[in-house]
Amino acid sequence: MRLPRALILSALSLALSSAHGADLLSLYREAANQDPAVASAVASLQAARERVTQAEAANGFAVGISAVANANYLDLHVRTLPSAQTDRAYLAASVQAYVNKPLIRPANNVAIEQANAATTISELALQAAQMDVANRLSQAYFDVLLAQDNVTLVQSQKIAVAEQLAQAKRNFEVGTATIVDTNEAQSRYDQVIAQEIAAQNELDRTRWALRNVVGRYEINLKRLRTAALMPAPIPANMEAWVTRAEREAFAVRIALQTLAVSEYDVRRAQTGKDWTLDATANVTNSQSTGSSTTALGTWVNSGLIGITFNWPFDISGGVNARIREALALVDKNRNDIEAARRTAGFNVRQSYLGLTSGVAGVAAQQQALKSAETTLASTKLGLEVGVRTNLDVLNAQQQVTQVQRDLALARYNTLLNELRLKAATGVLSEDDIRATNAYLTD
């Protein structure tokens, strides 16, 4: 069997990705192509575009043909004249071709403008869905990396604690240490085993969370480069980011466009008081084999050309009620815009502060790791010369592991906050994913 070339290339690409480790950019492209939320937004956009076509069609020509055919039977008796009796059956049929064209219909014109404004909302919703994929994928990706780091750190700690436990047992056997040291080492070893089980469970959970975004289970991911320098925000001005977010964040832009759509609702409601003018024309052919009054067959051709004028009066108050309803929704949408701007500003400030503190935190954690490693080396030396205990070494080892975990978390959170900052501002794109992807390595 011959497989399609595209299928072969796709399989080769997936195989190479698995062999060398999937990266953030390749997984983003996969997720964006199959994400249900994106697919839903695409379908909504297509539906919105079709509504524009429908609105435009309301101003076009309406052309059609109608036909009617009837079989008729008449049985007529006059009570006072028994001889006056009619018993007749006849056929009648007619065919009509018609053309109608709105000339002046303000509601149709407003409906076209409103449909175009609603299409813009769908376009923005699609872009927001694509950006949300990038956010969810980045979070899931770095959650997996952090979970992998935790497993690695716990396993390395288990090896170190196992060595300390074996040494404590040897020292106790030769009489150079008490049973207390052995018990403490055994307790630490049991704790590390429990931590390893929890860390492995967390790794499995994060991998399934990543699978939920990408659509497939991936265990081989590219890791963050150890020497990667954490990015600082550009521009380094929080209020500049806030101002941009209040103008360009997707939630704000969608709220603004929703206000525009609701303002068209007001105009459509107001057209309920406007007069309309339509042009109409039709041609009819009617034929029959008789009628209720004669048995003679007939045929008739007729035509009509004219205009129809209509001017409604709002006697019941329904139109005014619809106008007031639309105006109230306009006020609601204005308040929604303000709420969206405040939320966008808060999200930007939160991400900006997280990014700037993260950059400083990574540097501090790197220095703390050097200090913890120095302390561990000194403690091991002290144990050899008899001025430190086995418990001191275990505590120093635990401190190194904790700082390594904190450093990894700080680095991942810094990169995530950079992406969140751009997402909150409404400018996150594939180029930003590509830039973050450059921090990864096999």
Side-chain angles (χ1 to χ4, degrees), residues 224-230 366 411 439:
L224 190 62
R225 287 187 285 110
T226 305
L229 297 177
M230 294 297 100
Q366 288 173 334
R411 298 174 75 199
Y439 290 98

Side-chain angles (χ1 to χ4, degrees), residues 164 167 373-389 392-393 396:
Q164 294 297 324
Q167 182 179 356
E373 290 173 341
T374 301
T375 300
L376 176 59
S378 300
T379 306
K380 287 181 177 179
L381 181 61
L383 178 63
E384 293 175 1
V385 299
V387 296
R388 293 291 185 183
T389 66
D392 294 331
V393 175

Side-chain angles (χ1 to χ4, degrees), residues 5-326:
R5 182 170 180 270
L7 181 59
I8 295 175
L9 291 177
S10 176
L12 288 174
S13 176
L14 182 59
L16 290 173
S17 173
S18 299
H20 298 286
D23 60 12
L24 185 65
L25 182 60
S26 63
L27 292 182
Y28 166 72
R29 288 171 176 168
E30 286 186 45
N33 287 332
Q34 57 79 44
D35 186 73
V38 174
S40 175
V42 170
S44 295
L45 176 57
Q46 181 61 33
R49 288 171 176 167
E50 295 300 333
R51 284 192 289 270
V52 174
T53 302
Q54 295 173 45
E56 292 172 342
N59 266 344
F61 287 91
V63 180
I65 296 176
S66 62
V68 178
N70 297 308
N72 302 275
Y73 175 73
L74 177 66
D75 185 8
L76 175 63
H77 296 267
V78 180
R79 294 182 183 277
T80 58
L81 298 173
S83 61
Q85 177 179 340
T86 302
D87 188 357
R88 182 180 302 117
Y90 61 92
L91 302 176
S94 66
V95 178
Q96 181 186 69
Y98 61 88
V99 178
N100 297 321
K101 175 68 171 70
L103 299 178
I104 300 176
R105 280 188 174 266
N108 289 357
N109 298 329
V110 176
I112 294 172
E113 296 176 8
Q114 186 179 40
N116 282 308
T119 300
T120 302
I121 293 179
S122 296
E123 291 171 348
L124 292 172
L126 174 57
Q127 297 174 35
Q130 292 170 335
M131 187 183 69
D132 183 61
V133 171
N135 259 337
R136 288 187 284 117
L137 174 67
S138 301
Q139 182 69 61
Y141 189 97
F142 287 119
D143 282 348
V144 173
L145 292 189
L146 179 61
Q148 289 179 167
D149 289 345
N150 283 338
V151 170
T152 301
L153 291 173
V154 170
Q155 289 175 343
S156 64
Q157 186 180 11
K158 183 178 72 171
I159 294 173
V161 173
E163 293 175 354
Q164 294 297 324
L165 175 59
Q167 182 179 356
K169 289 180 177 179
R170 289 194 301 269
N171 292 340
F172 175 72
E173 290 173 356
V174 298
T176 59
T178 65
I179 191 63
V180 175
D181 289 338
T182 303
N183 291 339
E184 289 175 345
Q186 183 65 54
S187 175
R188 286 298 179 93
Y189 183 79
D190 294 339
Q191 291 176 14
V192 170
I193 293 298
Q195 291 171 1
E196 182 183 22
I197 294 173
Q200 187 62 52
N201 180 70
E202 177 65 11
L203 177 58
D204 292 339
R205 185 198 67 80
T206 56
R207 282 174 173 168
W208 280 109
L210 179 62
R211 185 263 180 202
N212 195 49
V213 179
V214 180
R216 64 180 177 85
Y217 195 79
E218 177 62 61
I219 62 174
N220 190 15
L221 300 180
K222 290 187 176 181
R223 298 174 176 269
L224 190 62
R225 287 187 285 110
T226 305
L229 297 177
M230 294 297 100
I234 300 175
N237 184 325
M238 183 170 65
E239 292 308 313
W241 285 93
V242 170
T243 300
R244 188 173 183 180
E246 290 176 346
R247 182 180 65 253
E248 299 183 22
F250 279 111
V252 175
R253 293 164 66 187
I254 290 175
L256 286 168
Q257 203 63 30
T258 302
L259 173 62
V261 171
S262 66
E263 289 173 341
Y264 283 119
D265 280 332
V266 175
R267 291 174 56 186
R268 290 185 69 177
Q270 291 171 339
T271 60
K273 298 181 179 181
D274 293 339
W275 55 270
T276 62
L277 192 65
D278 298 337
T280 183
N282 65 66
V283 175
T284 305
N285 175 266
S286 302
Q287 299 185 31
S288 68
T289 60
S291 69
S292 61
T293 59
T294 179
L296 299 176
T298 62
W299 61 267
V300 178
N301 289 326
S302 62
L304 178 150
I305 297 177
I307 59 173
T308 301
F309 173 82
N310 182 50
W311 190 357
F313 294 95
D314 184 30
I315 297 177
S316 63
V319 174
N320 285 329
R322 285 192 292 272
I323 293 174
R324 292 192 297 270
E325 177 191 9

